Amino acid sequence: MDLKGKVAIITGASRGIGRAVAHAYVDAGAAVVITARTEEALNRVCAELLEKNGRVLAWAADVSQNDQIIELVNATLAQFGQIDVLVNNAAVLGPSPRPPLLHYDEHTFSEVLRINVIGPFLMTRAVLPHMLQRSSGSIINVTSGVASGRGPCGAYGVSKAALNALSHTWAEELRGTGVRVNIVNPGRTQTQMLREAYPEEDVSGLPRPEDITPVFVWLASDRSRHVTGGYFEAQEFKLPGV
């Protein structure tokens, strides 16, 4: 799955799944723009990718702030001249341990939805004019199994359910334009967010973020250019035709 010549923006790339996807894309030949709110952690990932001779731009931004998103997109176009892939991975868990919705205050509930839902909306809206002009683009939204509402998932589960609906709406509205939108559920993986959500559990036996990147690479590649509106379980993914 060759990604040479492609440019991808990956949000929430300072750790976990975002970091792993950035590494996988660089390994496949793509140029990557990695973004997160924490500049120090982002720079560490940038250094890792540069050691691989990757083409990388690290840009600290808050995806819930539209002005910062516009700066990020403009910097990407200035550096690389195009945007082929957007991975909307950035998310926040909210309070931990996970309280029921009854115990959320308005500010906390709104913050989770702003980052986990409004953020992907704003990011997608910002890259779409460029993608539509080129009649090509792949947008990958990272969801969660708790979007079904099972368990005490609070605002995080609500936000992921909304993200799924947003993704399907974008996919239908963009059908036939060459821009495709798909959803990936990573499943339970060894991430800091999972440890925060379930501090009482031992997650050491779960897949690592690096283990679930093939579906992200495939969805970024031309091999999936006709796939849109799909929902993919990363841990069950097998390359078509293999």
Side-chain angles (χ1 to χ4, degrees), residues 27-115:
D27 290 343
V32 297
V33 179
I34 56 174
T35 186
R37 291 185 293 183
T38 309
E39 187 170 6
E40 183 179 356
L42 194 64
N43 287 337
R44 285 197 295 269
V45 178
C46 182
E48 295 170 2
L49 298 172
L50 289 172
E51 285 183 3
K52 295 182 170 183
N53 295 318
R55 294 185 298 147
V56 187
L57 173 64
W59 193 273
D62 182 340
V63 297
S64 71
Q65 303 300 316
N66 192 56
D67 57 342
Q68 296 185 35
I69 288 173
I70 297 303
E71 290 176 357
L72 166 66
V73 170
N74 287 340
T76 301
L77 293 173
Q79 180 82 7
F80 296 116
Q82 64 192 69
I83 302 170
D84 302 286
V85 183
L86 168 64
V87 181
N88 283 312
N89 170 69
V92 295
L93 179 64
S96 184
R98 306 168 309 285
L101 289 174
L102 176 63
H103 299 304
Y104 274 79
D105 60 73
E106 181 181 354
H107 172 76
T108 304
F109 187 82
S110 297
E111 180 187 28
V112 173
L113 267 67
R114 181 152 190 85
I115 294 173

Side-chain angles (χ1 to χ4, degrees), residues 75-209:
T76 301
L77 293 173
Q79 180 82 7
F80 296 116
Q82 64 192 69
I83 302 170
D84 302 286
V85 183
L86 168 64
V87 181
N88 283 312
N89 170 69
V92 295
L93 179 64
S96 184
R98 306 168 309 285
L101 289 174
L102 176 63
H103 299 304
Y104 274 79
D105 60 73
E106 181 181 354
H107 172 76
T108 304
F109 187 82
S110 297
E111 180 187 28
V112 173
L113 267 67
R114 181 152 190 85
I115 294 173
N116 296 5
V117 185
I118 304 299
F121 165 74
L122 294 174
M123 284 295 308
T124 301
R125 190 181 65 174
V127 303
L128 267 180
H130 176 75
M131 289 183 172
L132 288 171
Q133 187 178 36
R134 302 176 69 231
S135 300
S136 177
S138 175
I139 297 165
I140 305 168
N141 292 330
V142 180
T143 188
S144 167
V146 302
S148 63
R150 67 173 185 264
C153 304
Y156 180 77
V158 173
S159 73
K160 290 302 184 179
L163 179 62
N164 290 354
L166 178 68
S167 303
H168 289 305
T169 301
W170 275 127
E172 285 305 310
E173 290 184 356
L174 295 169
R175 197 174 293 276
T177 66
V179 180
R180 49 209 171 84
V181 182
N182 291 285
I183 306 168
V184 173
N185 176 17
R188 291 167 59 84
T189 57
Q190 294 184 43
T191 63
Q192 184 175 328
M193 181 177 287
L194 187 68
R195 294 185 183 95
E196 292 172 356
Y198 301 95
E200 71 283 359
E201 292 189 22
D202 178 10
V203 302
S204 60
L206 297 176
R208 303 168 305 153

